[in-house]
Amino acid sequence: MNSNSASSTLLGHGVWAIDTGFQRPNFDAAYLIIEQGRAAFIDTGTSHSVPRLLAALDATGVSRDAVDWVIPTHVHLDHAGGAGALMAALPAARMVVHPRGARHLIDPSKLIDGARAVYGDEEVRRSYGTVVPVEAGRVVESADGLVIHLADRPLKFFDTSGHARHHHCIWDERSRGFFTGDTFGLSYRELDTPHGAWLLPTTTPVQFDPPALRASIERLLAEQPACMYLTHYGRLPALEVPDGVTEVQKLGRDLLDQLDEVVALGRQAAGLALPEAQRHEVLKDGLSTLYLRRIELSGCMLPRQQALDLLAMDIELNAQGIGVWLDGKR
């Protein structure tokens, strides 16, 4: 297999990033780890993504019955919608999922209903396809501090609430990196600059919890990681550099600063006592202003309207999530 193909890239340390094809290129990644002929997937994309994941595995020469683990970081459908279909193709694999999310992959009906409430029936069908249940007997519930092994390679689980209460991150000592799901935010390659990446916190509905998210980010940073493997999108730093630890810490501090700004924006919007629809527009406008200012400060030269178009879905969903958080506080 080439080290860089249309949908998969070898990042080093036996870690492959696979573009799941969800929404657009370089938007949604699953990761394949290979160690001594054994394999694990972290995040799966949607049911539509499964052929890409299996093709990437097949191209490495590792057999499907050598996959030991399938590990969604959380059960949102862009991360775990393909888990059941992928498990059906991997006869020896077990799935490790957060205990708050396990029942939703065993019986995904409520998960699908929740997605329909956010996106609508037509979009759920188009984007996510058929969500296949996972056999209960093949599910392992994670716990904070749990360590599993891929061959002799340890993978350690950190309970990381804040984006969702059913979220864990996975620490890979071999690469000194975390597979972060959505806890360490979003970063799109179109917004990269010569100085590096730019990222933003994700506040999508319905379980955004700013204090918990701050604590989770700080906990990840305390491990002094050399890199972060984001589902959206790719490894940060994007290149292996000697001061990678410093780069991750810088990105983390910026992420926490933005989280504070998002909270301030939400409180300001709440103080206006507007009807929900009007408040939502205020939040969208505020997020657009915040992101554009941060993008420009990063040195990104992408035209403003192109940046807003790129972030349109995130602006909409993040505004929804802040609204849900504000209503929960009230």
Side-chain angles (χ1 to χ4, degrees):
M1 184 174 185
N2 294 331
S3 62
N4 195 328
S5 64
S7 62
S8 58
T9 304
L10 180 60
L11 303 178
H13 303 286
V15 178
W16 294 84
I18 304 168
D19 189 329
T20 70
F22 179 62
Q23 297 294 350
R24 64 175 187 262
N26 296 332
F27 178 78
D28 188 70
Y31 291 94
L32 171 64
I33 309 174
I34 298 177
E35 182 71 25
Q36 298 176 37
R38 309 304 297 181
F41 283 101
I42 298 181
D43 279 344
T44 69
T46 71
S47 293
H48 299 314
S49 308
V50 171
R52 286 183 176 228
L53 272 60
L54 293 174
L57 174 70
D58 293 345
T60 68
V62 174
S63 66
R64 298 185 183 188
D65 60 6
V67 178
D68 294 328
W69 305 105
V70 172
I71 310 171
T73 55
H74 58 301
V75 302
H76 290 165
L77 292 178
D78 52 331
H79 298 256
L86 183 61
M87 289 287 287
L90 304 173
R94 289 178 288 170
M95 187 180 71
V96 187
V97 63
H98 193 283
R100 290 181 179 271
R103 62 190 175 94
H104 294 299
L105 294 184
I106 295 168
D107 177 6
S109 56
K110 289 185 178 179
L111 194 63
I112 297 166
D113 289 343
R116 286 174 178 152
V118 174
Y119 303 108
D121 289 350
E122 183 177 347
E123 179 60 22
V124 168
R125 285 194 297 271
R126 183 188 73 83
S127 291
Y128 303 110
T130 301
V131 181
V132 177
V134 178
E135 297 174 28
R138 300 177 68 186
V139 172
V140 177
E141 294 186 359
S142 69
D144 192 51
L146 172 71
V147 177
I148 63 172
H149 287 85
L150 180 63
D152 63 357
R153 182 174 184 158
L155 299 171
K156 184 177 180 179
F157 289 79
F158 285 62
D159 194 317
T160 51
S161 184
H163 172 74
R165 290 193 289 271
H166 48 82
H167 200 302
H168 53 214
C169 293
I170 300 93
W171 171 247
D172 173 37
E173 180 66 32
R174 181 69 51 82
S175 65
R176 292 202 58 77
F178 275 107
F179 295 88
T180 64
D182 284 342
T183 295
F184 204 69
L186 315 174
S187 181
Y188 301 132
R189 304 286 60 80
E190 295 92 334
L191 297 173
D192 285 350
T193 77
H195 307 294
W198 175 77
L199 76 170
L200 68 151
T202 173
T203 66
T204 51
V206 294
Q207 295 179 347
F208 173 52
D209 181 344
L213 183 55
R214 168 172 283 276
S216 293
I217 294 169
E218 290 177 340
R219 190 177 180 207
L220 299 185
L221 292 172
E223 296 296 314
Q224 296 294 315
C227 61
M228 299 294 205
Y229 300 102
L230 277 61
T231 302
H232 311 290
Y233 178 87
R235 182 186 60 194
L236 299 181
L239 300 173
E240 293 191 50
V241 293
D243 62 347
V245 173
T246 302
E247 179 68 11
V248 170
Q249 296 295 326
K250 179 180 75 68
L251 289 167
R253 288 194 299 271
D254 187 65
L255 188 65
L256 292 171
D257 287 345
Q258 287 190 69
L259 180 60
D260 289 342
E261 291 188 83
V262 166
V263 169
L265 172 64
R267 288 174 175 162
Q268 182 181 25
L272 298 176
L274 296 170
E276 182 178 339
Q278 288 181 251
R279 184 189 67 185
H280 181 66
E281 293 305 314
V282 168
L283 289 170
K284 286 174 61 178
D285 289 344
L287 288 174
S288 298
T289 300
L290 189 163
Y291 296 155
L292 285 174
R293 178 170 55 82
R294 287 280 181 170
I295 288 168
E296 289 170 357
L297 285 173
S298 76
C300 178
M301 301 303 293
L302 196 69
R304 292 167 66 90
Q305 190 56 54
Q306 287 186 34
L308 287 175
D309 291 344
L310 186 75
L311 296 171
M313 182 170 65
D314 295 309
I315 291 168
E316 170 64 30
L317 293 177
N318 286 348
Q320 288 184 29
I322 296 167
V324 172
W325 168 65
L326 292 173
D327 291 341
K329 286 174 65 65
R330 183 174 60 192

